[in-house]
Amino acid sequence: MHASRIYPTCESRERPNSGIPELGCGNRFSEKDMRQLNESRAASRSLGDLTSPEVSRRLQDASILCLPMGAIEQHGAHLPLNTDAIVAEELTRRIVARWGDELDLWQLPMISIGLSREHDWAPGTLSLTIQSFVALLRDMARDLVRALPARNLAIINGHGGNRGVLDNLIHELRGDFALNACVIHPFDLSKADTRATGPDVHGGKSETSVMLALAPHLVRRELIAPPARPPDGAAIAALVFDRGVSFPWRTDDPRLTASGAIGEAHAASAELGQAIIDSVVEESGGVLRRLLENQRSMAPKR
C-alpha cells in the first residue's frame, strides 16, 4: 500500500499578548513519532517527497519515472470532468506501490490536461493543442534528464485521445534525450473480462466501473441509465474502431451518442472496476521489466 502521511499532533497555545495560537511542536516529537515519520519518508516513492540531496542518493540510471497523464473533459452526466486524471494518478500510485521497491519506481506529478478536442463541444472540457502538448512533454523530458539520474520513463495514460501523439513522441524522447520511454494504456492493458455486450468507448462500463472502485463519491449514480436510443453500432465500428482508416470522430455526433458517453455505464460495478485495476497493476510488472530490457539494449546516443 502507499505509505500514509504521518504528522505528529501538537498542542496549541497563544502567543503572549497576541491572541494568535502558536504550535508548540519544537521539541514535542516523541521517539515513536520520529520513528514513524522517518519510516514514512523512507517508504515514499513520490519524487516530490524527496529533498534535493536525497535525489542523487536514491535514484539511479535504471530507476523508472512514472508519469500519470490524464484529461479534463466531459464524460456524460454521471462522471466528473477529471475522470481520466483520477484514473491515471490512482493507477500510477498502485503500480508504484506494487512494483516500486522491486523495480525502483518513482511517481512524478500529474499532468492533468491533454488532447480532448473530440469533446470540446461540452462545457468544462479543457484541451491543449498538439503543439503545446508536444512542447510540454519535450520540455519535461529535457528537464528530467537534466535534473535526475533516471533514464526510464513510463507514462500511465488515462485518456485515449492522448495515445496517437504519445506513441510517436516517445521515439523523439529516445532519439533526442536518450530517455527510454513507454506508454501504458490501462484499459487496453487490462485482461479483466468486462463482458461488454456493445462498444465501450467513453464513460461506459469499464470507465464507470473503475471510477466506482476509485472514487465512488464522484459518480452520479442516479444519472446512470441505459441510452434511450441505442447508438449506431456500424457507425461506431467505422468511425472509432476501424484500424484501416482514421476519422476525427466526436462525442456530439448523434450517430455515436446522445449523452456524450458511449458504452453501457448502467452495467458498471465496483467489483468489475477493482478487477480491471488489479489486472492493470499486475500486467504493468511485465511492461516495466521490458522497459528495463529496452534500456540495456539501447545504443549509446551519438
Side-chain angles (χ1 to χ4, degrees):
M1 297 294 293
H2 186 69
S4 61
R5 310 284 185 200
I6 301 170
Y7 300 102
T9 57
C10 305
E11 293 179 3
S12 178
R13 61 178 183 270
E14 278 191 3
R15 294 178 186 168
N17 305 318
S18 72
I20 301 172
E22 182 180 49
L23 291 179
C25 278
N27 296 312
R28 295 178 182 272
F29 286 99
S30 70
E31 185 177 337
K32 180 181 178 182
D33 284 336
M34 286 301 300
R35 184 170 60 253
Q36 289 179 314
L37 193 58
N38 288 333
E39 289 174 354
S40 176
R41 288 170 179 161
S44 174
R45 284 191 165 273
S46 171
L47 181 71
D49 286 347
L50 298 178
T51 64
S52 179
E54 288 171 339
V55 169
S56 58
R57 294 201 301 267
R58 299 193 61 185
L59 274 72
Q60 57 184 332
D61 178 80
S63 299
I64 301 176
L65 305 172
C66 297
L67 174 64
M69 174 166 285
I72 301 294
E73 62 184 33
Q74 73 82 26
H75 280 78
H78 65 289
L79 291 180
L81 296 169
N82 63 344
T83 290
D84 295 344
I86 290 172
V87 170
E89 188 161 41
E90 289 302 316
L91 284 176
T92 301
R93 196 186 314 280
R94 285 158 174 76
I95 290 168
V96 170
R98 171 66 178 86
W99 301 107
D101 289 343
E102 181 178 343
L103 301 175
D104 196 17
L105 311 184
W106 294 91
Q107 183 161 348
L108 295 174
M110 174 82 190
I111 295 180
S112 296
I113 301 176
L115 300 173
S116 300
R117 292 295 297 272
E118 68 271 34
H119 307 290
D120 64 5
W121 57 272
T125 294
L126 305 176
S127 184
L128 299 174
T129 64
I130 291 176
Q131 292 88 343
S132 60
F133 182 83
V134 169
L136 172 64
L137 286 169
R138 285 183 58 87
D139 283 350
M140 173 172 280
R142 184 180 295 108
D143 229 40
L144 290 175
V145 170
R146 177 197 61 80
L148 303 172
R151 291 297 179 266
N152 297 299
L153 176 67
I155 300 171
I156 292 80
N157 175 39
H159 172 48
N162 296 335
R163 181 169 190 155
V165 174
L166 286 175
D167 286 353
N168 283 279
L169 185 58
I170 55 177
H171 291 281
E172 293 191 10
L173 301 187
R174 176 168 176 163
D176 295 349
F177 306 107
L179 190 59
N180 180 43
C182 71
V183 184
I184 291 175
H185 307 286
F187 291 100
D188 289 325
L189 184 65
S190 170
K191 300 296 189 291
D193 184 3
T194 64
R195 304 192 180 190
T197 59
D200 195 21
V201 179
H202 183 70
K205 185 176 183 178
S206 294
E207 203 163 24
T208 303
S209 293
V210 168
M211 284 295 288
L212 286 170
L214 293 177
H217 61 291
L218 295 178
V219 180
R220 282 65 165 176
R221 301 182 195 219
E222 72 279 7
L223 299 179
I224 300 175
R229 179 175 55 84
D232 184 337
I236 294 174
L239 296 175
V240 180
F241 291 119
D242 189 343
R243 298 285 292 175
V245 62
S246 297
F247 291 105
W249 60 271
R250 295 172 54 85
T251 51
D252 58 351
D253 186 333
R255 296 170 297 175
L256 307 183
T257 173
S259 67
I262 307 174
E264 302 169 320
H266 60 282
S269 70
E271 292 75 19
L272 173 59
Q274 191 60 53
I276 293 171
I277 292 166
D278 291 345
S279 179
V280 171
V281 170
E282 289 306 309
E283 293 296 326
S284 294
V287 173
L288 297 170
R289 289 190 187 94
R290 195 168 303 117
L291 181 66
L292 292 175
E293 290 175 6
N294 290 349
Q295 184 187 30
R296 290 190 288 269
S297 69
M298 282 178 69
K301 184 178 179 183
R302 297 174 182 175

